[in-house]
Amino acid sequence: MIFSIVNFTAYTQEIKEKSSENFKVKLKDTIKISIKDSLALISKDSLSLKPKDSIAKPKEFLESIIVHNADSLIRQDLKNKKVLLYKNAHVNYNDIDLTAGFIEIDNNTSIITAKGIKDSIGSYSQRPVFKQGSEESTQDTIKFNFKTEKAKIWGLRTEQQGIIIRGEVSKKHNDSVVFIKNIKITTSEKEHPDYYIDIKKAKFIQDKKLVAGASQLVIADVPTPLVLPFAYVPLTKGRTSGVLMPTWGENSRQGYFLQNGGYYFVVNDNFDLALLGDIYTNGSWGMRAESGYAKRYRFSGNFNFKYENLINSLRGFDDYSKSTNYNIRWSHRQDTKASPNSRFSASVNLGSSKYYRESLNEYNTNAFLNNNLSSSVSYYKKFVGTPFNMSMSVTHSQNTNTEEINMTLPSLQVNMDRIYPFTGKNGAKTNALQKTGLTYSLKGDNRIKTQDSLFFKKEMFQDAKSGIQQNISLNTNMKALKFFTLSPSANYKEVWYFDRLSKTFDDVNNAVVTDTVTGFSSFREYSGAVSLSTTFYGMFKFKKGSLEAIRHVVRPSVSYSYRPDFSSYNERVQKTADPNDYLEYSPFQNGIYGSPGTGISNSLNFSLANNLEAKVRKKDSTETEAKKIILLNNLNFNTSYNMAADSLKWSPVGVNAGTKIFKDKLSLNVRATLDPYAIDANGRKINTFNINNGGSLFRLTNAGVTMNYSLSSKKDDKGKKSAEEKNAQENNSEGIFGEDLDVTNKQADNKASDKNKVKETKLYQSKIPWTLKLAYSLNYNNSNRQQEISSNSLMFSGDVELTPKWNVGVSSGYDIKNQGFTYTQLRFSRDLDSWKLNFNWVPFGERQTYYFFIGVKSSMLSDLKYDKRQVPDRRLF
């Protein structure tokens, strides 16, 4: 490479030498001074005087140094003051960087000309690339004045905020304003774009806007009738406020509609707000507010509020009805770096119980199929230097079928970490006394139970109940018989209430009257327990084959618990007119923490846990350690024996087992309940063992099987996924139920990583990527010898990539017991490079609908789209 640095002040030095020979200097007399007052004269130090050069220096051509280089040839024409650069030429001046196949620097006109060159096959290559600051553009030819910084450009191509601007002839007025003729605006990166907006003249202001005259949409080089008299395209960096275009459609009950139209506000860098609305021709309407906020290293979250006023049919018809629904969703996450000793979080989903079933603009599939809504807002505080921590929360749970709502408003929890009051010197814990740990907890709740119709009304607080519960636990452990662990414990509980029940006998009505008496009341309980546990390991080794060994782990445990009789807290009231007929009751029976236990509890509890693992080594493997494979993740048995009971002392045996096979692709879980007692002809349990009643040792009362199976044509790339993606995949129930039909206003750009992916299509031995998820559930009930399969269903979801740009998916299920298909969704997707096509269809059922969308991927031109959806024809009741 030939490299040269030319300082154009060399030309000015040549002019200085020639002009100094013919230049004559006339000196004036410096002694002629008009003296007014000699005392007023101030003598000046001659050393401080700076001599003036009588020869004026000519102004230099450039203010900086031009650095240039080229691969092939650098030619300097001193006579015409030009520099010519060939092949991969590069010029740098101030903040300007220019590369091209050919560059000419003309010092006479202060113009730099750059253009591409033709290669051996005649193609035009090494087009000029002009950079100034953050601005970058590619063109066929450019002429640039390095004094005025004006330029004329032919064949401009530049990208601003994801929008590609192509111009035939452009004039650069200054470093930010450009006038362009015959301009094409697109987001397609192809040399011949899929589409573009054709504009005759436009003014482009860098990172601000593009203002143009008449514009026309052209798709596949075919002009469309979509013409606008003017165009305005904002090019500001980051988020900007703007109008959100609605989606249109119609249904048979609400008529024609516009949905999801509104305005998006960027309040500041940390907060935004979208106000959206729906309107229907029969008078129905809806409104939504969606907001997101974030503070770096502090917190982030989003808030959604939705309200709909729905009218079904038309006034005068028999099926005419009205309904109002609302839904509030709030999610708040605190950054772990914000505060290590305190934490605030929120996850709220509450509203009308019928919202997800009746809403005309809600397509959350998982929420529709789920019958429960829940919310939690909590604050946690750790008191540094003490063993105490505190948490305060507000919780909400709602059954959308029964419309029953339960809330804790609020709930306070104070916990003390385990302390060891009897530890030895230097914190040593060598004996049972030194290992004795003490824990303390306090819990206070104010609970509300109400109905959907009374929510947010003063009536919901009328039956609120509150209380405080304190627990103290003392436990330790010690070795027994060398291989066993003995763990004794003692517990103390104290409960405070602020009202109690009082029952009296009404002589007039001959009935018991129940009143609630306000005032402080309390009760106390204590209990003790001791457990004995150990662990056995069994190893079965194999000398031949790839199977090296099978390890069996057994964890048996036996515990004994005792609680005295606390029926002394109970009270008695006359039940009938007979003064000797009494009713015993607990004044705390309506308390949120229950009432004192009656009767002695004296029971033995038994549990047995099993685990099976295998060690496998491949014959040709060079691995130093064998691979562990889980054969049986768990096989657990548990039961208890109540020595204080007068009958039915044994409780049913609970059995549950689970494992993962086929490289963890199939997850299998089995549960069962085995009752040792028989039942009579009426289905009631009797104090006779089933085996003594002519039956088997145990009576199977209920059982269940769940299986989840995942198949894929390619290997799972769990190792390449982030922690958030893994968690979303593991907890995604929507994958089996289907995808949500999000509004198009949420259409976002493709990820940067996706843009760099190149998909190849093979004509022969082609591979068609696919995924399949299966979920099977079976429940069996035989509590009264009915031998009934209460539920039996299979759900499945799959996607097939027919081509690198075509994707087809389906989610459905079949209820084997009731012989019918469950919620079914069909999905079709087509990648059109700069465009995207989606079609989602629910062909039958209560949520029968479809949604079609085709539009530009880029968010900058997201309003360039066509979408249509059919609202499900739902009855409001």
CSV table of all heavy atoms in Angstrom, one decimal, residues 501 503 569-571 584-590 594-596 598:
chain,number,residue,atom,x,y,z
A,501,LEU,N,-67.4,-15.5,69.3
A,501,LEU,CA,-68.8,-15.8,69.2
A,501,LEU,C,-69.4,-16.0,70.6
A,501,LEU,O,-68.7,-16.5,71.5
A,501,LEU,CB,-68.9,-17.2,68.4
A,501,LEU,CG,-68.6,-17.1,66.9
A,501,LEU,CD1,-68.8,-18.5,66.3
A,501,LEU,CD2,-69.5,-16.1,66.2
A,503,LYS,N,-73.0,-17.5,72.2
A,503,LYS,CA,-74.3,-18.1,71.9
A,503,LYS,C,-75.2,-18.1,73.2
A,503,LYS,O,-74.7,-18.5,74.3
A,503,LYS,CB,-74.1,-19.6,71.4
A,503,LYS,CG,-73.4,-19.6,70.1
A,503,LYS,CD,-73.4,-21.0,69.5
A,503,LYS,CE,-72.7,-21.0,68.1
A,503,LYS,NZ,-72.8,-22.4,67.5
A,569,TYR,N,-61.2,-24.5,76.4
A,569,TYR,CA,-61.5,-23.2,75.9
A,569,TYR,C,-63.0,-23.2,75.4
A,569,TYR,O,-63.5,-22.1,75.1
A,569,TYR,CB,-60.6,-22.8,74.7
A,569,TYR,CG,-59.2,-22.4,75.2
A,569,TYR,CD1,-58.2,-23.3,75.1
A,569,TYR,CD2,-59.0,-21.1,75.7
A,569,TYR,CE1,-56.9,-22.9,75.4
A,569,TYR,CE2,-57.7,-20.8,76.1
A,569,TYR,CZ,-56.7,-21.7,76.0
A,569,TYR,OH,-55.4,-21.3,76.4
A,570,ASN,N,-63.6,-24.3,75.2
A,570,ASN,CA,-65.0,-24.4,74.7
A,570,ASN,C,-66.0,-23.9,75.8
A,570,ASN,O,-65.7,-23.9,77.0
A,570,ASN,CB,-65.3,-25.8,74.3
A,570,ASN,CG,-64.5,-26.3,73.1
A,570,ASN,OD1,-63.9,-25.4,72.4
A,570,ASN,ND2,-64.6,-27.5,72.7
A,571,GLU,N,-67.1,-23.5,75.3
A,571,GLU,CA,-68.2,-23.0,76.2
A,571,GLU,C,-69.5,-23.8,75.9
A,571,GLU,O,-69.6,-24.4,74.8
A,571,GLU,CB,-68.4,-21.5,75.9
A,571,GLU,CG,-67.2,-20.7,76.3
A,571,GLU,CD,-67.5,-19.2,76.1
A,571,GLU,OE1,-68.6,-18.8,75.6
A,571,GLU,OE2,-66.6,-18.3,76.4
A,584,GLU,N,-72.1,-27.8,73.2
A,584,GLU,CA,-70.7,-27.3,73.4
A,584,GLU,C,-70.2,-26.7,72.1
A,584,GLU,O,-70.3,-27.3,71.0
A,584,GLU,CB,-69.8,-28.5,73.8
A,584,GLU,CG,-68.4,-28.0,74.2
A,584,GLU,CD,-67.5,-29.1,74.8
A,584,GLU,OE1,-68.1,-30.1,75.3
A,584,GLU,OE2,-66.3,-29.0,74.7
A,585,TYR,N,-69.6,-25.5,72.2
A,585,TYR,CA,-69.1,-24.8,71.0
A,585,TYR,C,-67.8,-24.1,71.4
A,585,TYR,O,-67.5,-23.8,72.5
A,585,TYR,CB,-70.1,-23.8,70.5
A,585,TYR,CG,-70.3,-22.6,71.3
A,585,TYR,CD1,-69.7,-21.4,71.1
A,585,TYR,CD2,-71.2,-22.6,72.5
A,585,TYR,CE1,-69.8,-20.3,71.9
A,585,TYR,CE2,-71.4,-21.5,73.2
A,585,TYR,CZ,-70.7,-20.4,72.9
A,585,TYR,OH,-70.9,-19.2,73.7
A,586,SER,N,-67.0,-23.7,70.3
A,586,SER,CA,-65.8,-22.9,70.5
A,586,SER,C,-66.1,-21.5,70.1
A,586,SER,O,-66.6,-21.2,69.1
A,586,SER,CB,-64.7,-23.5,69.6
A,586,SER,OG,-63.6,-22.6,69.7
A,587,PRO,N,-65.8,-20.5,71.0
A,587,PRO,CA,-66.0,-19.1,70.7
A,587,PRO,C,-65.1,-18.6,69.6
A,587,PRO,O,-65.2,-17.5,69.1
A,587,PRO,CB,-65.7,-18.4,72.0
A,587,PRO,CG,-64.9,-19.3,72.8
A,587,PRO,CD,-65.3,-20.7,72.4
A,588,PHE,N,-64.1,-19.4,69.2
A,588,PHE,CA,-63.1,-19.0,68.2
A,588,PHE,C,-63.3,-19.7,66.9
A,588,PHE,O,-62.4,-19.7,66.0
A,588,PHE,CB,-61.7,-19.4,68.7
A,588,PHE,CG,-61.4,-18.8,70.1
A,588,PHE,CD1,-61.3,-19.7,71.1
A,588,PHE,CD2,-61.1,-17.5,70.3
A,588,PHE,CE1,-61.0,-19.3,72.4
A,588,PHE,CE2,-60.8,-17.0,71.5
A,588,PHE,CZ,-60.8,-17.9,72.6
A,589,GLN,N,-64.4,-20.4,66.7
A,589,GLN,CA,-64.6,-21.3,65.5
A,589,GLN,C,-64.7,-20.5,64.2
A,589,GLN,O,-64.5,-21.1,63.1
A,589,GLN,CB,-65.9,-22.1,65.7
A,589,GLN,CG,-67.2,-21.3,65.7
A,589,GLN,CD,-68.4,-22.2,66.0
A,589,GLN,OE1,-68.3,-23.3,66.7
A,589,GLN,NE2,-69.5,-21.8,65.5
A,590,ASN,N,-65.0,-19.2,64.2
A,590,ASN,CA,-65.0,-18.4,63.0
A,590,ASN,C,-63.7,-17.6,62.8
A,590,ASN,O,-63.6,-16.8,61.9
A,590,ASN,CB,-66.2,-17.4,63.0
A,590,ASN,CG,-67.5,-18.2,62.8
A,590,ASN,OD1,-67.5,-19.3,62.3
A,590,ASN,ND2,-68.6,-17.5,63.2
A,594,GLY,N,-58.4,-20.6,63.0
A,594,GLY,CA,-59.1,-21.8,63.5
A,594,GLY,C,-59.3,-21.6,65.0
A,594,GLY,O,-59.1,-20.6,65.6
A,595,SER,N,-59.7,-22.7,65.6
A,595,SER,CA,-60.0,-22.8,67.1
A,595,SER,C,-59.1,-23.8,67.7
A,595,SER,O,-58.4,-24.6,67.0
A,595,SER,CB,-61.4,-23.2,67.3
A,595,SER,OG,-61.7,-24.4,66.6
A,596,PRO,N,-59.0,-23.8,69.1
A,596,PRO,CA,-58.1,-24.8,69.8
A,596,PRO,C,-58.5,-26.2,69.4
A,596,PRO,O,-59.7,-26.5,69.2
A,596,PRO,CB,-58.3,-24.4,71.2
A,596,PRO,CG,-58.9,-23.0,71.2
A,596,PRO,CD,-59.6,-22.9,70.0
A,598,THR,N,-59.5,-29.9,69.9
A,598,THR,CA,-60.2,-30.7,70.9
A,598,THR,C,-59.9,-32.2,70.8
A,598,THR,O,-59.7,-32.7,69.7
A,598,THR,CB,-61.8,-30.6,70.7
A,598,THR,OG1,-62.1,-31.0,69.4
A,598,THR,CG2,-62.2,-29.1,70.9
